[in-house]
Amino acid sequence: MRRTRQERYDAVIVGSGFAGANMAWLLARAGKRVLVLEAGPGLDTTHGELLERYLLATIKTPTAPYPPDAGALDPSRTNAPRPTTEALLFAWNDPARSYLEHAPGSLPFGSTSERLAGGTGNHWMGTAIRMDGADFSLRSTYGHGLDWPLGYDDLEPYYRQAEQLIGVAGDRAEQEEVNGIPYGAGYDYPQGPIAASHGDRVFRARVDGAAIAPDSPALARTTSTPAGRNAGPFMNRSPCRGSTSCTPICPVRAKYDPRVTLRMALDTGRVELLAKTVVDAVHIDEGGAVTGLHYLTYDDVSVPAATGRTGEGVATADVYVLAAHAIENARILLNTERVTGRPVANSSRLVGRHLMDHPVHLAWGLMPAATPFYGYRGPQSTAGVETLRDGPFRRSRAAWRIEIGNGGWTWPIGDPYVTGADFIYGRNDSGTNPERSILSNRRYLEAVNGILTRQLRLAFLVEQEADPSNRVELSDTWTDNLGIPRPRIAYGVSDYVRAGFASARAATTRIMGLLDATDHTATNPSAPAAFRHDGRDYNYRGAGHMCGTHVMGSARANSVVDAEQRTWDHPNLYLAGCGSMPSVGTQNPTLTMLALACRTVDDILARSR
């Protein structure tokens, strides 16, 4: 039964992830009454219960701890479906089993997201790096992608605010020196840097000072990676204990997640959370102002019944913020046009376009026995190479940064489980078991440890430029269990990105040589996420960084939102999140997304005075 909520709020926010939870907290702190609409389950599931789900999961994927279980490969039986790791592995192009439908000819979009309190921030790794310099002016500087309507100086105060909200651990002097960007007089990170791993020190000793990219004179330098993770006790959270499961869940809650801020917001008494509430349409009056958000409700995430809808309603406020996710924000807007015949925030016809990720070139090798790397200890990454993020080469190929992994070959092949099973079953799936025979307990322990302690993993996060042909649309065929059309994705990687992969592969060869490591990086040309460039085959992985779809710009003709993330077409509608980013650089986008959210809050408060 349709109903309009009697309460009228200062702001309604859709989504309780990084942007939504922090915006709710900041608005409530300023005295505003806020309603948060969350499509997935709320805070009734504790961290301990989520951790138990992860520990008991057979396949420990990024989505393993989070509901739903049933329906992971059957989105028709899930009320708040989302793209899962299982679907990407086993059913990426089968919309009967995968939430995302892919358009004909599309490459797989390789990233996942969550729909529950805290959003995808539940399984972020914690990397919190600022964008800088030409990342904001890619089109005007190098002729690719899009420019931002703001620069680093405009965002710098909000980077500081975002780092304080998360409690980022980092080395300000090191970051300022390597990246050449100012951090503001007297400012420092809330915490000192996370301690370097043994592998970081080995890498630094052998690679630093070398020219690893053939088209750049910049030399490699290993630096600590700023992270939303505790170096010591901080914000009532434990220090990191090195569990190497940051993605998908930190067992001791040393890593920040948005559920922390969401609880703080609710504790103010000015914020209300409605979970299991899916927004499907935006109501607009004749003058173009938003008058309400229509939503559907359900009782259980996974359902045995033919329909899961239990009710509907309209939430009203002075200001509305869609902070659901790059894909879900676009889906809400496009579905509104489907239902009403009236475009919402889409006079530019750019809603859903410019979908981006960081396609990852994954490389792995085996160190010499005399120089173990000692993975599987510490956070999943504590250091990286940032000195190759910019340069004239960006006129012809995408940039990249290197993330040095502490998790062995977990990401590439699923270790430590695969190598251990190789010896047990006498097979050679991982390519590291030279004997293919069952061993005694002692020999087994020695053999497996001899491999696991030497595993090296590098991830090259390759820049992807904004391309309007990469887009989110609505499926003509497939709906979710509430009757809303599911997203249809058209995705590919341009020649610019492919040239970046070629450069990353050349750098991999150089690094493996400097480390005296045996390169085990494998390429499967028949894999779905595969492409060819200059006669060579490449595979890519998704980084979990869904960006674009409602990009900001300097005018309504070339963008969906302005520099404050306010829609050009509707004065009281904001679209918050990575979907507003016109470029992604090479840096994990979460910190930039949160900085933008802080800037948007300031704009909302200024206009409400």
Side-chain angles (χ1 to χ4, degrees):
M1 181 177 181
R2 179 174 175 175
R3 62 188 179 92
T4 299
R5 291 185 62 80
Q6 296 303 309
E7 302 91 342
R8 183 175 179 87
Y9 299 85
D10 295 306
V12 173
I13 299 174
V14 181
S16 63
F18 260 97
N22 281 281
M23 292 180 75
W25 157 243
L26 293 172
L27 289 169
R29 198 171 63 176
K32 302 300 182 182
R33 293 187 65 244
V34 182
L35 174 65
V36 178
L37 304 177
E38 170 54 54
L43 292 169
D44 47 326
T45 303
T46 68
H47 180 268
E49 290 169 326
L50 294 174
L51 178 60
E52 184 177 11
R53 290 165 61 97
Y54 170 69
L55 294 174
L56 295 176
T58 302
I59 304 177
K60 298 187 184 335
T61 65
T63 53
Y66 307 108
D69 285 327
L73 287 177
D74 187 358
S76 66
R77 298 177 63 81
T78 304
N79 281 319
R82 85 285 198 210
T84 64
T85 309
E86 292 81 3
L88 286 173
L89 290 172
F90 307 119
W92 78 273
N93 206 23
D94 180 2
R97 300 192 296 156
S98 173
Y99 174 57
L100 301 179
E101 177 189 358
H102 281 77
S106 174
L107 289 175
F109 188 73
S111 288
T112 64
S113 60
E114 299 297 335
R115 297 176 81 185
L116 77 161
T120 310
N122 281 284
H123 75 219
W124 79 310
M125 192 170 70
T127 302
I129 308 175
R130 298 184 180 193
M131 293 177 68
D132 58 76
D135 294 334
F136 295 96
S137 57
L138 188 64
R139 164 61 62 178
S140 57
T141 305
Y142 297 120
H144 297 279
L146 299 173
D147 286 345
W148 291 58
L150 51 78
Y152 174 80
D153 290 343
D154 299 303
L155 208 52
E156 198 279 329
Y158 297 102
Y159 273 132
R160 289 189 242 168
Q161 185 178 4
E163 288 159 355
Q164 297 297 320
L165 288 170
I166 295 173
V168 173
D171 185 331
R172 172 257 174 92
E174 184 181 57
Q175 290 296 308
E176 201 166 35
E177 179 185 353
V178 169
N179 301 320
I181 52 176
Y183 273 58
Y187 177 76
D188 207 347
Y189 287 110
Q191 304 180 70
I194 305 292
S197 70
H198 176 80
D200 295 340
R201 293 191 291 270
V202 170
F203 190 95
R204 179 182 291 117
R206 296 195 171 204
V207 177
D208 277 21
I212 60 174
D215 56 357
S216 174
L219 305 180
R221 177 177 171 184
T222 305
T223 51
S224 62
T225 301
R229 178 183 302 112
N230 281 3
F234 188 75
M235 285 184 170
N236 294 319
R237 302 198 311 270
S238 299
C240 174
R241 298 181 185 175
S243 301
T244 324
S245 63
C246 317
T247 301
I249 190 168
C250 174
V252 298
R253 304 205 76 172
K255 182 187 70 172
Y256 169 87
D257 70 71
R259 293 163 71 97
V260 172
T261 303
L262 183 59
R263 286 190 174 90
M264 291 167 54
L266 294 172
D267 286 346
T268 66
R270 298 189 184 96
V271 176
E272 183 179 349
L273 173 68
L274 283 185
K276 302 175 185 175
T277 302
V278 180
V279 172
D280 66 332
V282 181
H283 289 177
I284 309 289
D285 68 16
E286 292 301 318
V290 176
T291 59
L293 299 179
H294 183 265
Y295 61 80
L296 306 173
T297 62
Y298 63 90
D299 290 337
D300 296 305
V301 180
S302 297
V303 293
T307 178
R309 185 185 304 188
T310 58
E312 59 181 320
V314 179
T316 58
D318 297 327
V319 173
Y320 301 86
V321 180
L322 300 189
H325 210 287
I327 289 178
E328 296 302 327
N329 276 358
R331 182 186 181 216
I332 291 169
L333 298 174
L334 295 172
N335 188 61
T336 302
E337 184 170 353
R338 180 190 70 88
V339 172
T340 67
R342 181 178 180 180
V344 179
N346 203 18
S347 61
S348 64
R349 309 311 297 171
L350 293 177
V351 168
R353 293 187 180 272
H354 303 113
L355 177 66
M356 292 174 281
D357 194 358
H358 282 119
V360 175
H361 170 68
L362 209 57
W364 59 101
L366 205 61
M367 296 291 291
T371 318
F373 215 68
Y374 290 124
Y376 306 100
R377 303 190 302 184
Q380 282 172 309
S381 179
T382 42
V385 176
E386 315 294 341
T387 48
L388 278 298
R389 294 192 332 208
D390 192 25
F393 59 80
R394 288 173 90 178
R395 294 190 180 93
S396 57
R397 60 98 170 162
W400 38 259
R401 66 172 294 263
I402 301 175
E403 173 190 286
I404 303 169
N406 293 327
W409 292 358
T410 300
W411 193 359
I413 71 168
D415 254 352
Y417 312 104
V418 171
T419 291
D422 284 352
F423 285 97
I424 291 173
Y425 297 107
R427 66 186 185 215
N428 197 29
D429 291 352
S430 68
T432 57
N433 177 3
E435 301 190 26
R436 298 181 183 227
S437 60
I438 299 174
L439 306 176
S440 68
N441 289 345
R442 181 174 179 178
R443 287 287 312 284
Y444 172 79
L445 185 64
E446 292 173 348
V448 172
N449 281 344
I451 291 171
L452 297 182
T453 57
R454 294 189 286 132
Q455 290 180 345
L456 156 75
R457 188 272 290 169
L458 304 175
F460 292 75
L461 278 71
V462 180
E463 168 189 31
Q464 182 166 39
E465 83 279 31
D467 180 345
S469 64
N470 287 341
R471 64 185 301 188
V472 178
E473 302 173 296
L474 295 181
S475 173
D476 296 326
T477 307
W478 300 94
T479 64
D480 64 19
N481 205 55
L482 301 177
I484 307 170
R486 299 202 329 241
R488 179 172 61 201
I489 305 297
Y491 183 73
V493 289
S494 68
D495 288 341
Y496 180 72
V497 174
R498 296 179 187 214
F501 268 73
S503 172
R505 174 174 279 175
T508 297
T509 301
R510 173 70 170 142
I511 291 169
M512 293 294 180
L514 291 168
L515 293 171
D516 291 327
T518 304
D519 192 353
H520 284 265
T521 306
T523 301
N524 180 3
S526 62
F531 62 82
R532 288 183 65 79
H533 179 72
D534 282 348
R536 300 191 70 177
D537 293 305
Y538 295 86
N539 293 135
Y540 66 89
R541 307 290 182 99
H545 303 160
M546 301 181 183
C547 301
T549 74
H550 48 80
V551 296
M552 64 169 57
S554 56
R556 70 171 64 231
N558 62 21
S559 56
V560 179
V561 298
D562 64 15
E564 282 71 40
Q565 299 190 99
R566 189 168 71 125
T567 60
W568 293 105
D569 300 345
H570 313 291
N572 62 339
L573 176 63
Y574 293 80
L575 308 178
C578 293
S580 297
M581 295 172 62
S583 71
V584 295
T586 61
Q587 299 88 323
N588 305 47
T590 304
L591 185 71
T592 299
M593 171 183 63
L594 184 52
L596 288 171
C598 293
R599 178 181 168 94
T600 295
V601 168
D602 273 3
D603 189 67
I604 291 172
L605 294 176
R607 293 176 186 275
S608 67
R609 294 192 182 107

